[in-house]
Amino acid sequence: FLHTTLRSTGAAAVWAFFSHAYEENLDVVPRTGATIIVANHHNQLVDVCVLTRNFPYRRVTQYWAKASLFRNPIARYVLTGSGNVPVDRRSSDNLKLFGSSLKALSKGGVLTLFPEGTSYTEPRIIQVKDGTSWLALEYSKWRLDHGGTPLVVIPVGIVYTDKQHYRSSVIKRWVFGPSIDISDLEAAFAQADPSAQKEIAKKLTARIEAKIIELTINAPDWDAAHAALIARQILWNGDAHIPLGDFVDVSQTLTDLFSSPELPPGLNIEKVKVELVQYLALLEAVGTSHDILTTMQPPESTTMPQRPFLRVLQSTASAIINFPPFALPFVLHIPTYLATAWAAALTPDEVEAVAQNKIVLGLLTQTITYPLFTILISRWSSLKGWNALILTLSVIFLHSRLIDSNYTRFKLLRTAWTLFWGTRTKDELTADQLAPFLIPWTPPPNPYVRMAVDSAPAPPRPPPRPTDISKAELVPHLLRARTRAITALGDLMNALECSGDAPVAASEHLARVYGFGGAAADKQLGADADTLHTKGGTAPTTIPTSSRKASEVFAFLKGHGAVFPCGGTS
């Protein structure tokens, strides 16, 4: 009962926070039998809600929790009832460490694990630890004496279009094709000495890592990730216009492109990245997005907003005209809005905790406001009992139906006013004044993530932004930066189309599908299959790459709906 209740609550939270939740390849999960689900972990408790929501065949999925948490009888009841399995991390004996997990698997259970060991925010998969591999191999050995069904290890990638922001989208991608094959490792592990077992476990970790990388978006550094993000929003005029089934491959293709050296020949990709990254930073500083800005001011506005007062009038009128049906749902949810705004400020440097905090505090607030609203309706109106409850549920449903359009109108109105005040600024900012606004915000290093000794150094923290410079003063610089970014991206797309068969760096799994292919590519991919791209289970120094044809990358982007900007190829 407790697990069902928590699963339903988590599903409701995902439904309320995200505008869309997309899943694919659900049929890879078996109906019965010992199963380990391995997933990336970049959004704390939200990842658990996303994985548990709509789990195939409504199987009960269990998670690891510290054994010490089970000492309290009340905590033990909650943890056990909600599907947690105790793990004694202090034990060096694997049978004791995994005892409860082995029993759960022997009964045909499902364990969902996060092999990265912690939740973090980085542009790529940073660390994949061996704990999951040890459990899988120890179970395969253990069941020879104790019985149990053969084990299935299934990777799943969780990708968020903007994980911390309300009404973004989430994508859950189960592994393509068969699950991870461990049959060749099981027999060797059962007969190996401890030293050899360690190497076998690392081979399985490498396979898990490779599959999770295939299912997610990975960039070698923040600049490549940021450049790909804003390029995607320019080419599709916002993430909402990309089918979620294409989102990961499109994003990884752009990320690979901006991870390339001087390709295509004669074009300085680093300069293109600089223009894109500076534009993204100014969008963040002004508090808007490319699609909202483009709706308010077309790209032809290069220095100052066109007809700003008219834009303000139009946006204000649209918001006022469409607000009445949303008025009652809005008033009911004001406490929730305030609670979630406060929640976002609790951990400003921990992006992976923001959505979790918003959801938890939002739900707690609603447990008070919804019953209180029902009571007030019963007292102050002719609606009593069930009728008052039905009205409350209707208002909640109406909020879910109208929030997206009203939220968009609010962002348009806010941007219209910022652009309007931008026309009132007379003094241009100096280069030194503008410099702090040209670097996107990046989260500080996570202390629980161990970076490899030879990994690239963390980017320097951006200088603090002056508080005496208003958003309006940044507007002329934002519009000029947009023009430069669009022109640079157009030149890049034009060069791609004209470069024919010139190789462009690509992630191995995309090269396998779209790239040069052939026996050589398959041999290369096979050779790396059991090689960890993380150093000792920690930060990869580079993302493994192969290549695709430049013209094919151009055709891929165009075929998936990219609209190439003026100045480039249309």
Side-chain angles (χ1 to χ4, degrees):
F1 170 77
L2 186 57
H3 182 273
T4 301
T5 301
L6 292 176
R7 178 171 59 185
S8 300
T9 302
V14 171
W15 172 76
F17 189 83
F18 297 103
S19 61
H20 297 91
Y22 174 82
E23 299 183 53
E24 59 186 12
N25 301 325
L26 288 170
D27 56 346
V28 301
V29 180
R31 286 182 176 272
T32 59
T35 306
I36 293 180
I37 307 297
V38 288
N40 59 308
H41 193 25
H42 298 169
N43 211 0
Q44 290 200 0
L45 185 60
V46 180
D47 290 334
V48 176
C49 295
V50 169
L51 285 169
T52 305
R53 173 187 179 271
N54 292 342
F55 199 87
Y57 311 115
R58 299 190 65 81
R59 296 186 66 179
V60 174
T61 178
Q62 299 171 283
Y63 298 85
W64 275 349
K66 292 181 182 179
S68 59
L69 297 176
F70 288 77
R71 293 173 185 168
N72 183 286
I74 297 177
R76 182 169 61 250
Y77 170 77
V78 174
L79 290 169
T80 304
S82 58
N84 289 280
V85 175
V87 177
D88 186 359
R89 298 180 180 178
R90 297 173 300 175
S91 175
S92 58
D93 181 353
N94 280 349
L95 291 181
K96 183 177 180 182
L97 175 67
F98 300 129
S100 298
S101 301
L102 296 174
K103 292 178 182 178
L105 291 173
S106 68
K107 296 177 182 178
V110 179
L111 278 176
T112 299
L113 307 178
F114 301 110
E116 291 167 284
T118 188
S119 186
Y120 58 88
T121 301
E122 290 288 343
R124 65 190 188 278
I125 301 295
I126 290 291
Q127 62 181 23
V128 179
K129 297 185 176 182
D130 297 329
T132 301
S133 300
W134 278 106
L135 171 61
L137 294 168
E138 287 287 3
Y139 170 75
S140 297
K141 179 182 177 182
W142 185 83
R143 77 180 183 89
L144 296 177
D145 298 324
H146 299 83
T149 60
L151 179 66
V152 179
V153 180
I154 302 175
V156 58
I158 309 173
V159 176
Y160 301 89
T161 59
D162 194 350
K163 67 181 181 182
Q164 73 192 82
H165 285 133
Y166 183 53
R167 307 311 290 166
S168 56
S169 298
V170 58
I171 303 159
K172 185 163 63 174
R173 309 178 82 208
W174 300 88
V175 65
F176 296 97
S179 56
I180 295 177
D181 183 12
I182 64 172
S183 58
D184 61 319
L185 303 178
E186 290 176 319
F189 183 87
Q191 301 177 14
D193 58 47
S195 177
Q197 285 183 337
K198 184 176 180 180
E199 294 304 314
I200 294 171
K202 287 194 174 298
K203 287 185 177 181
L204 179 52
T205 301
R207 298 181 187 183
I208 292 171
E209 177 204 55
K211 288 296 184 180
I212 292 178
I213 287 176
E214 287 185 16
L215 296 167
T216 54
I217 304 168
N218 295 272
D221 53 52
W222 278 112
D223 278 351
H226 285 147
L229 184 155
I230 190 60
R232 184 182 69 226
Q233 293 186 359
I234 292 173
L235 294 173
W236 277 266
N237 194 29
D239 290 337
H241 297 100
I242 305 177
L244 292 180
D246 299 333
F247 185 86
V248 175
D249 283 356
V250 163
S251 299
Q252 190 63 60
T253 295
L254 290 170
T255 301
D256 291 340
L257 181 61
F258 291 109
S259 305
S260 303
E262 295 290 331
L263 291 175
L267 185 70
N268 188 341
I269 286 188
E270 289 302 316
K271 183 178 179 181
V272 177
K273 284 165 61 175
V274 167
E275 300 292 359
L276 290 169
V277 169
Q278 289 184 354
Y279 174 44
L280 174 64
L282 284 167
L283 284 171
E284 289 179 354
V286 173
T288 189
S289 60
H290 175 75
D291 56 323
I292 294 295
L293 178 63
T294 301
T295 301
M296 285 289 95
Q297 291 292 328
E300 292 76 19
S301 304
T302 59
T303 55
M304 293 300 287
Q306 298 177 356
R307 297 178 295 175
F309 187 66
L310 178 60
R311 303 285 185 182
V312 167
L313 290 178
Q314 290 174 336
S315 300
T316 304
S318 176
I320 293 174
I321 292 171
N322 290 280
F323 185 72
F326 187 63
L328 186 56
F330 174 78
V331 171
L332 174 59
H333 288 85
I334 286 177
T336 302
Y337 301 151
L338 296 176
T340 54
W342 179 67
L346 289 176
T347 54
D349 289 339
E350 295 181 34
V351 181
E352 62 275 9
V354 172
Q356 166 190 277
N357 294 342
K358 287 181 178 179
I359 289 173
V360 170
L361 287 182
L363 287 175
L364 289 175
T365 303
Q366 289 167 355
T367 60
I368 299 172
T369 55
Y370 290 168
L372 182 60
F373 180 79
T374 304
I375 293 172
L376 292 177
I377 290 296
S378 296
R379 288 187 177 182
W380 293 352
S381 74
S382 59
L383 298 176
K384 308 296 180 183
W386 286 104
N387 291 328
L389 177 60
I390 291 173
L391 176 62
T392 301
L393 295 176
S394 300
V395 173
I396 296 171
F397 176 77
L398 193 61
H399 180 270
S400 69
R401 300 292 294 180
L402 298 179
I403 182 62
D404 288 337
S405 57
N406 281 275
Y407 189 35
T408 298
R409 279 188 283 269
F410 167 75
K411 290 186 286 186
L412 289 169
L413 179 60
R414 182 179 59 186
T415 299
W417 276 104
T418 302
L419 294 174
F420 172 75
W421 290 116
T423 63
R424 298 294 185 266
T425 59
K426 298 179 181 180
D427 298 329
E428 285 283 320
L429 299 178
T430 66
D432 289 341
Q433 289 176 313
L434 186 62
F437 299 97
L438 300 180
I439 304 174
W441 183 87
T442 55
N446 189 314
Y448 299 103
V449 175
R450 294 180 298 163
M451 305 296 289
V453 175
D454 61 342
S455 63
R461 300 291 297 156
R465 292 173 175 173
T467 56
D468 59 340
I469 296 178
S470 68
K471 295 179 179 180
E473 293 176 274
L474 296 172
V475 167
H477 302 279
L478 170 64
L479 296 178
R480 284 194 288 267
R482 178 177 64 174
T483 299
R484 294 193 300 269
I486 289 176
T487 300
L489 184 59
D491 291 341
L492 174 60
M493 294 298 108
N494 184 52
L496 272 181
E497 184 185 29
C498 297
S499 294
D501 292 346
V504 174
S507 297
E508 292 175 357
H509 62 284
L510 293 182
R512 188 188 319 162
V513 178
Y514 303 107
F516 290 100
D522 291 339
K523 183 178 180 180
Q524 175 189 353
L525 293 170
D528 290 342
D530 288 342
T531 303
L532 262 179
H533 296 299
T534 56
K535 298 290 186 178
T538 59
T541 55
T542 59
I543 297 298
T545 58
S546 186
S547 60
R548 296 164 66 177
K549 297 178 182 178
S551 58
E552 179 274 317
V553 171
F554 175 88
F556 171 88
L557 296 173
K558 187 174 183 178
H560 283 78
V563 178
F564 299 109
C566 298
T569 302
S570 58

